[in-house]
Amino acid sequence: MSNYAYDNDGGFNNTPTTSQTTPTKPRRNYDEQTLIPVTIKMLHSSLSSPSSTSSSTAEFHLQDQRPLHMIKFVGAVRNSEVRSTNLFLDVEDGTGLMNVKVWVNDGDDCSAIVDLRKKATDRDGKYVRIIGQLKEFDGVRTVVANDVREVEGGGNEVTYHFLEVAHSHERHLKAVSGGLGVGMGYGIGNMASASHVPPMQQQQGVGMGQGLGGGSALNDAVLQYIMSAGLGSDSGVNINDIIGNVSSKGFSTNDIRNAINHLSNEGHIYSTIDENHFQYAC
Amino acid sequence: MAEPQQPDGAYPRVNATMINEGLFNNMIVSIIGRAVNFDGVNLLQLESGDGGRVNINLSDAEFHYVPGQIIEVIGHLDGKNIQFFISRQLGDNMDLGIYNDMIAKVQRNPKYKDLFDPFN
């Protein structure tokens, strides 16, 4: 018989060993792993709260309540200092000054970082885009950068970044106030700023019921029609009837089709005799 | 000299209109525009996105003038002139109209104060 008499089973079953287990930071759920475009002012004025998992790291959130995970900003290098294992930059963007620390590994870095380490004249006075995380040591805030890149698009990228900061903030405000508008939240380029909506606030949909279709007016209109027109019918409602009815409320055919696909994926409706007929799943 | 408190790295982004309105006087500001005039010695003129001209006093600072080039100048605003500190190059194809809209309508919009305004 197999009686291996090992202390553990060779690691195959993930049983905890009695030897010291290194405490790992619990991985955040993917929805929380955001990348938010910010200004340096926003970084300095963000509020810190002690992390629930570790006593030494703080977690930050912006004035508009969005928690910070990774951040992105654009600014000009004012000073820089090269050390053997890292590169320090002082970056300013007109709203403030931020210290940035970049870890470097010879031979392993992307060419952008290699170039930046070369000459001060290649760095100072140049606009860069930084992606990283905000940290605080001894009361001083620093960004530990995962990526530093010279801005290739020139001044346009500076303009774009500030517009993106305002836009991302606006999207967050709209999402928090209850899913207004057509198809908000699952569109292209959703920067996850809308994913911080606490579940309770989403149930402000139009008309009947709670939490129908995630609170979007379009989804509710489609669902309402399917429910009423398909009542008692095994074969449900024809997609053309849905489009005909809901488009009179001002939605485009394309948006209606997308809404139907979304509701079907979420399980609120199902297709019946063919892919053009839908019924409400109670 | 008594200057308003200005946090490090914080400078208002201005255009010719704002300068003419007397805003941000006596502060360190940033002006982005196209280089249109240089007397070879000290006086540089930039054209900002609102179409107006801004005078920059170089005070013997080294400057390589390329007409039509878009640059950012950081300097001290003294009435209608800016005293040059540093300049940065911003490429050839920056859209100054959009940048102008951005600083006039977005950065100075009171509802985005928390995002952009370091002075309050």
PDB file of all heavy atoms in Angstrom, chain A residues 242-256:
ATOM      1  N   ILE A 242     -39.713  43.844 -30.106  1.00  0.00           N
ATOM      2  CA  ILE A 242     -39.019  44.528 -29.018  1.00  0.00           C
ATOM      3  C   ILE A 242     -38.381  45.811 -29.539  1.00  0.00           C
ATOM      4  O   ILE A 242     -38.542  46.890 -28.968  1.00  0.00           O
ATOM      5  CB  ILE A 242     -37.908  43.642 -28.398  1.00  0.00           C
ATOM      6  CG1 ILE A 242     -38.475  42.325 -27.885  1.00  0.00           C
ATOM      7  CG2 ILE A 242     -37.185  44.392 -27.280  1.00  0.00           C
ATOM      8  CD1 ILE A 242     -37.429  41.363 -27.395  1.00  0.00           C
ATOM      9  N   ILE A 243     -37.692  45.659 -30.657  1.00  0.00           N
ATOM     10  CA  ILE A 243     -37.014  46.826 -31.226  1.00  0.00           C
ATOM     11  C   ILE A 243     -38.021  47.897 -31.594  1.00  0.00           C
ATOM     12  O   ILE A 243     -37.854  49.079 -31.301  1.00  0.00           O
ATOM     13  CB  ILE A 243     -36.171  46.427 -32.450  1.00  0.00           C
ATOM     14  CG1 ILE A 243     -35.012  45.524 -31.998  1.00  0.00           C
ATOM     15  CG2 ILE A 243     -35.621  47.653 -33.159  1.00  0.00           C
ATOM     16  CD1 ILE A 243     -34.185  44.978 -33.132  1.00  0.00           C
ATOM     17  N   GLY A 244     -39.107  47.444 -32.237  1.00  0.00           N
ATOM     18  CA  GLY A 244     -40.126  48.409 -32.649  1.00  0.00           C
ATOM     19  C   GLY A 244     -40.687  49.182 -31.475  1.00  0.00           C
ATOM     20  O   GLY A 244     -40.825  50.409 -31.522  1.00  0.00           O
ATOM     21  N   ASN A 245     -40.942  48.475 -30.396  1.00  0.00           N
ATOM     22  CA  ASN A 245     -41.556  49.134 -29.254  1.00  0.00           C
ATOM     23  C   ASN A 245     -40.582  50.030 -28.497  1.00  0.00           C
ATOM     24  O   ASN A 245     -40.879  51.193 -28.200  1.00  0.00           O
ATOM     25  CB  ASN A 245     -42.130  48.063 -28.317  1.00  0.00           C
ATOM     26  CG  ASN A 245     -42.735  48.670 -27.070  1.00  0.00           C
ATOM     27  OD1 ASN A 245     -42.026  49.020 -26.132  1.00  0.00           O
ATOM     28  ND2 ASN A 245     -44.050  48.842 -27.086  1.00  0.00           N
ATOM     29  N   VAL A 246     -39.411  49.474 -28.207  1.00  0.00           N
ATOM     30  CA  VAL A 246     -38.474  50.227 -27.363  1.00  0.00           C
ATOM     31  C   VAL A 246     -37.851  51.403 -28.111  1.00  0.00           C
ATOM     32  O   VAL A 246     -37.516  52.430 -27.522  1.00  0.00           O
ATOM     33  CB  VAL A 246     -37.373  49.290 -26.810  1.00  0.00           C
ATOM     34  CG1 VAL A 246     -36.357  50.054 -25.988  1.00  0.00           C
ATOM     35  CG2 VAL A 246     -38.001  48.185 -25.977  1.00  0.00           C
ATOM     36  N   SER A 247     -37.717  51.275 -29.436  1.00  0.00           N
ATOM     37  CA  SER A 247     -37.093  52.385 -30.163  1.00  0.00           C
ATOM     38  C   SER A 247     -37.979  53.621 -30.148  1.00  0.00           C
ATOM     39  O   SER A 247     -37.512  54.738 -30.293  1.00  0.00           O
ATOM     40  CB  SER A 247     -36.764  51.978 -31.595  1.00  0.00           C
ATOM     41  OG  SER A 247     -37.955  51.681 -32.277  1.00  0.00           O
ATOM     42  N   SER A 248     -39.264  53.413 -29.928  1.00  0.00           N
ATOM     43  CA  SER A 248     -40.142  54.587 -29.867  1.00  0.00           C
ATOM     44  C   SER A 248     -39.862  55.401 -28.611  1.00  0.00           C
ATOM     45  O   SER A 248     -40.316  56.531 -28.478  1.00  0.00           O
ATOM     46  CB  SER A 248     -41.605  54.162 -29.901  1.00  0.00           C
ATOM     47  OG  SER A 248     -41.919  53.413 -28.747  1.00  0.00           O
ATOM     48  N   LYS A 249     -39.099  54.829 -27.673  1.00  0.00           N
ATOM     49  CA  LYS A 249     -38.742  55.585 -26.476  1.00  0.00           C
ATOM     50  C   LYS A 249     -37.440  56.355 -26.696  1.00  0.00           C
ATOM     51  O   LYS A 249     -36.938  57.003 -25.790  1.00  0.00           O
ATOM     52  CB  LYS A 249     -38.558  54.627 -25.287  1.00  0.00           C
ATOM     53  CG  LYS A 249     -39.809  53.838 -24.971  1.00  0.00           C
ATOM     54  CD  LYS A 249     -39.750  53.285 -23.543  1.00  0.00           C
ATOM     55  CE  LYS A 249     -41.110  52.740 -23.151  1.00  0.00           C
ATOM     56  NZ  LYS A 249     -41.327  51.361 -23.384  1.00  0.00           N
ATOM     57  N   GLY A 250     -36.910  56.211 -27.913  1.00  0.00           N
ATOM     58  CA  GLY A 250     -35.726  57.012 -28.216  1.00  0.00           C
ATOM     59  C   GLY A 250     -34.408  56.255 -28.217  1.00  0.00           C
ATOM     60  O   GLY A 250     -33.344  56.850 -28.266  1.00  0.00           O
ATOM     61  N   PHE A 251     -34.440  54.926 -28.175  1.00  0.00           N
ATOM     62  CA  PHE A 251     -33.186  54.170 -28.173  1.00  0.00           C
ATOM     63  C   PHE A 251     -32.903  53.652 -29.576  1.00  0.00           C
ATOM     64  O   PHE A 251     -33.812  53.375 -30.352  1.00  0.00           O
ATOM     65  CB  PHE A 251     -33.283  52.987 -27.204  1.00  0.00           C
ATOM     66  CG  PHE A 251     -33.499  53.409 -25.776  1.00  0.00           C
ATOM     67  CD1 PHE A 251     -34.692  53.148 -25.122  1.00  0.00           C
ATOM     68  CD2 PHE A 251     -32.500  54.069 -25.092  1.00  0.00           C
ATOM     69  CE1 PHE A 251     -34.882  53.531 -23.813  1.00  0.00           C
ATOM     70  CE2 PHE A 251     -32.688  54.452 -23.778  1.00  0.00           C
ATOM     71  CZ  PHE A 251     -33.879  54.192 -23.140  1.00  0.00           C
ATOM     72  N   SER A 252     -31.631  53.490 -29.903  1.00  0.00           N
ATOM     73  CA  SER A 252     -31.290  53.039 -31.256  1.00  0.00           C
ATOM     74  C   SER A 252     -31.385  51.519 -31.343  1.00  0.00           C
ATOM     75  O   SER A 252     -31.274  50.814 -30.344  1.00  0.00           O
ATOM     76  CB  SER A 252     -29.863  53.471 -31.601  1.00  0.00           C
ATOM     77  OG  SER A 252     -28.956  52.626 -30.939  1.00  0.00           O
ATOM     78  N   THR A 253     -31.575  51.031 -32.565  1.00  0.00           N
ATOM     79  CA  THR A 253     -31.698  49.586 -32.767  1.00  0.00           C
ATOM     80  C   THR A 253     -30.482  48.852 -32.227  1.00  0.00           C
ATOM     81  O   THR A 253     -30.594  47.816 -31.579  1.00  0.00           O
ATOM     82  CB  THR A 253     -31.842  49.296 -34.274  1.00  0.00           C
ATOM     83  OG1 THR A 253     -32.939  50.041 -34.763  1.00  0.00           O
ATOM     84  CG2 THR A 253     -32.069  47.810 -34.518  1.00  0.00           C
ATOM     85  N   ASN A 254     -29.322  49.400 -32.499  1.00  0.00           N
ATOM     86  CA  ASN A 254     -28.079  48.785 -32.041  1.00  0.00           C
ATOM     87  C   ASN A 254     -28.016  48.657 -30.529  1.00  0.00           C
ATOM     88  O   ASN A 254     -27.665  47.614 -29.992  1.00  0.00           O
ATOM     89  CB  ASN A 254     -26.902  49.655 -32.504  1.00  0.00           C
ATOM     90  CG  ASN A 254     -25.912  48.807 -33.251  1.00  0.00           C
ATOM     91  OD1 ASN A 254     -26.149  47.624 -33.457  1.00  0.00           O
ATOM     92  ND2 ASN A 254     -24.817  49.422 -33.645  1.00  0.00           N
ATOM     93  N   ASP A 255     -28.380  49.750 -29.866  1.00  0.00           N
ATOM     94  CA  ASP A 255     -28.362  49.731 -28.400  1.00  0.00           C
ATOM     95  C   ASP A 255     -29.354  48.718 -27.870  1.00  0.00           C
ATOM     96  O   ASP A 255     -29.096  48.043 -26.875  1.00  0.00           O
ATOM     97  CB  ASP A 255     -28.711  51.118 -27.840  1.00  0.00           C
ATOM     98  CG  ASP A 255     -27.532  52.075 -27.981  1.00  0.00           C
ATOM     99  OD1 ASP A 255     -26.404  51.592 -28.210  1.00  0.00           O
ATOM    100  OD2 ASP A 255     -27.757  53.289 -27.873  1.00  0.00           O
ATOM    101  N   ILE A 256     -30.509  48.611 -28.543  1.00  0.00           N
ATOM    102  CA  ILE A 256     -31.521  47.665 -28.078  1.00  0.00           C
ATOM    103  C   ILE A 256     -31.002  46.240 -28.234  1.00  0.00           C
ATOM    104  O   ILE A 256     -31.148  45.405 -27.332  1.00  0.00           O
ATOM    105  CB  ILE A 256     -32.851  47.860 -28.841  1.00  0.00           C
ATOM    106  CG1 ILE A 256     -33.389  49.268 -28.594  1.00  0.00           C
ATOM    107  CG2 ILE A 256     -33.869  46.811 -28.419  1.00  0.00           C
ATOM    108  CD1 ILE A 256     -34.592  49.611 -29.430  1.00  0.00           C
TER     109      ILE A 256
END
